[in-house]
Amino acid sequence: MAKTIVGLLIGIAVSEGAIRSIDERAEVYVPELKGTEYGRTPIKALLQMASGVAFREDYTDRTSDIATLGRATLGQEPGGGLAAVTRFNTRNAEPGQLFSYASSESMVLGAPLGVRLRECEALAAARRRSGRDMEH
């Protein structure tokens, strides 16, 4: 369900102009992803679960990537979820070429939304400080 909601929010962000195009790479919106395979992946490929980044989603294996990701995020390692996904930095295929279900891709997609949300909050706070109310 989270993947569906993230996809809807990305669509809204595109329609509102907060994200210019799903053909842009994730690193355009999330500088922390620069230099990583997820950063070099277009948002469209992430939405299609076709980043090409190696990620093993095996819930029965405690050494699988999903188990590592879970420990990093739920265990609250420093840097949070974004730092956790950057450790998966090997590409199996070019973006958009191979479907592979990976929970990490929703986390990567959530990052640009978070960046844009913080920018909107900062703009609203600045407007409040200057005495201008938001119109809506």
Side-chain angles (χ1 to χ4, degrees), residues 108-130:
V108 173
L109 282 168
L113 293 171
V115 168
R116 292 301 183 212
L117 181 60
R118 285 187 294 280
E119 289 172 358
C120 290
E121 288 171 347
L123 178 60
R127 286 181 176 166
R128 284 191 300 275
R129 282 191 302 277
S130 70

Side-chain angles (χ1 to χ4, degrees), residues 56 58-71:
R56 202 163 52 91
D58 181 351
Y59 292 92
T60 63
D61 182 354
R62 298 189 68 155
T63 65
S64 73
D65 295 332
I66 189 63
T68 301
L69 183 62
R71 283 190 301 275

Side-chain angles (χ1 to χ4, degrees), residues 2 20 40 42 60 65 72-73 82 127 130 136:
R20 290 180 297 277
R40 289 185 279 274
T60 63
D65 295 332
T73 55
L82 193 55
R127 286 181 176 166
S130 70
H136 300 284

Side-chain angles (χ1 to χ4, degrees), residues 1-22:
M1 182 68 154
K3 292 161 191 52
T4 302
I5 305 272
V6 169
L8 288 169
L9 291 172
I10 291 284
I12 291 168
V14 170
S15 73
E16 296 290 324
I19 293 176
R20 290 180 297 277
S21 170
I22 61 172

